[in-house]
Amino acid sequence: MIDQMYRKAVLTVSGQKFVEDLVRSRAWSVAQRFVAGEDIPAALQAVRELEKDGILGNLDLLGEFIDSPEQCNAFAERVLQLLDAANAAGIRPYVSVKLSSVGQGQLVNGEDLGLTNARRIVGKAKQYGGFVCLDMEDHPRVDITLAQFRTLVGEFGNDTVGTVLQSYLYRTADDLAGLGDLHPNLRIVKGAYLEPESVAMPDKADVDASYRRLVYAQMKAGNYVNVATHDESIIEDVKHFVLAHGIRKDQFEFQMLYGIRRDLQKELAAQGYRVRAYIPYGRDWYAYFSRRIAERPANVLFVLRGMLKG
């Protein structure tokens, strides 16, 4: 409950325009701990640096609250450019995309623009032997995102496109069961959006228990699972679970956020586990940065120290 109250307080404050203006003007040097840069070359350089330590990359072009069809198409073009650039640089393209950023929910010529643009992006990734993860957003978008994910898996296969399930939503166990026939590639996260208690678990212990159940169920079903957490107790439990159940190391990977627990990422990679860092980049970094700050009180102190130094 305390975690929920803290997250709500931070996200409420960060939503104020004067706070955003202050942070944007003073905290970019701090934000670079969590955001790789503002353009494609910076993002690809971050991937190269991580690969030196045996850590893979998952690139995410930041951009939220894009609402016009023209903006959504332009955003999709930028993702396509990222795929081209990564392939040209000899990096296997692996990207995350929020479908709202490419037009989800907007009808153009009788079809959802988000699905149209997702087809372009996933098709390009498949051409390069890459992968696209459809990011999950707040709870009103879960149904449409899962429906579009089902469509895309049917067209491109589960080796090219995956999606995300959030353990703090009460509905997620049923969502996992409903996707079983797809043998989906899933990224399991706890959830970072500010959700009402009617749809999301308020207590950390319940969210953690739900997280473990989702990961274990996905593994036991023989499906690929991306264990996206920095929680060392969960990571250790997963390591014991895979040993006890004979789960191969090529059936799962640990995913963490760029700039957070790099030491743990390197340690897991050195132990022979597949590790991937979620690497956000782009000029629209404020909303993402706010959610990272909302996760831990220590992050607020880190930002304040950085702003005072500036």
Side-chain angles (χ1 to χ4, degrees):
M1 182 67 71
I2 293 176
D3 292 331
Q4 180 80 352
M5 292 172 62
Y6 167 74
R7 183 164 65 242
K8 181 177 181 179
V10 171
L11 293 178
T12 298
V13 170
S14 66
Q16 302 299 312
K17 184 66 167 61
F18 78 93
V19 174
E20 177 176 351
D21 292 342
L22 175 64
V23 173
R24 281 186 176 277
S25 66
R26 298 293 301 275
W28 170 238
S29 62
V30 180
Q32 289 181 85
R33 169 180 169 179
F34 305 103
V35 180
E38 295 193 343
D39 55 24
I40 289 175
L44 296 183
Q45 182 59 33
V47 174
R48 293 189 188 95
E49 290 299 318
L50 289 169
E51 287 181 343
K52 292 178 182 178
D53 292 320
I55 300 166
L56 302 171
N58 172 8
L59 289 165
D60 179 21
L61 172 60
L62 297 174
E64 302 188 41
F65 313 117
I66 297 171
D67 49 16
S68 74
E70 293 77 18
Q71 289 175 315
C72 293
N73 287 332
F75 189 90
E77 286 295 333
R78 292 168 66 194
V79 177
L80 293 170
Q81 291 167 10
L82 170 62
L83 294 170
D84 287 335
N87 182 68
I91 296 171
R92 179 188 177 232
Y94 190 119
V95 301
S96 286
V97 177
K98 287 181 173 63
L99 290 175
S100 65
S101 297
V102 294
Q104 185 184 71
Q106 301 185 46
L107 288 181
V108 175
N109 298 324
E111 184 174 79
D112 187 282
L113 181 60
L115 182 58
T116 299
N117 278 325
R119 284 190 171 109
R120 298 168 62 206
I121 293 168
V122 177
K124 174 79 75 170
K126 188 175 184 68
Q127 174 187 336
Y128 292 144
F131 189 84
V132 178
C133 180
L134 307 178
D135 265 343
M136 193 58 70
E137 301 178 66
D138 54 355
H139 79 275
R141 290 190 179 271
V142 173
D143 283 328
I144 187 172
T145 299
L146 293 182
Q148 293 178 347
F149 170 62
R150 177 172 288 277
T151 297
L152 293 166
V153 170
E155 295 176 2
F156 298 99
N158 60 14
D159 59 343
T160 303
V161 60
T163 193
V164 179
L165 294 182
Q166 302 170 105
S167 73
Y168 72 166
L169 297 181
Y170 290 111
R171 60 172 291 168
T172 300
D174 290 335
D175 289 333
L176 178 62
L179 295 172
D181 62 299
L182 300 179
H183 302 288
N185 181 313
L186 296 176
R187 183 174 194 253
I188 309 298
V189 303
K190 293 184 181 181
Y193 289 90
L194 183 59
E195 298 282 18
E197 292 186 17
S198 58
V199 301
M201 304 170 192
D203 294 329
K204 182 180 183 299
D206 293 332
V207 175
D208 289 353
S210 171
Y211 190 97
R212 288 178 170 87
R213 289 193 297 269
L214 293 168
V215 169
Y216 298 162
Q218 178 76 345
M219 286 181 166
K220 287 193 288 187
N223 302 325
Y224 197 87
V225 57
N226 305 282
V227 184
T229 183
H230 304 93
D231 187 324
E232 291 190 69
S233 66
I234 289 179
I235 290 171
E236 287 302 313
D237 285 350
V238 168
K239 289 162 70 173
H240 290 130
F241 182 89
V242 299
L243 284 174
H245 292 82
I247 306 295
R248 302 190 314 272
K249 285 185 177 179
D250 61 0
Q251 191 185 320
F252 71 98
E253 64 188 56
F254 291 110
Q255 292 195 0
M256 299 184 196
L257 299 173
Y258 179 79
I260 299 180
R261 292 307 309 270
R262 180 73 179 272
D263 59 327
L264 182 56
Q265 294 177 34
K266 292 169 67 173
E267 178 184 327
L268 289 168
Q271 292 171 357
Y273 294 101
R274 186 176 296 164
V275 180
R276 192 179 305 273
Y278 184 91
I279 307 172
Y281 78 98
R283 295 182 179 180
D284 297 325
W285 51 267
Y286 180 74
Y288 174 85
F289 181 61
S290 297
R291 288 198 294 274
R292 299 291 74 79
I293 299 308
E295 288 174 347
R296 298 175 64 241
N299 289 343
V300 172
L301 299 177
F302 173 77
V303 172
L304 290 175
R305 284 198 298 269
M307 291 176 69
L308 290 172
K309 289 178 182 178

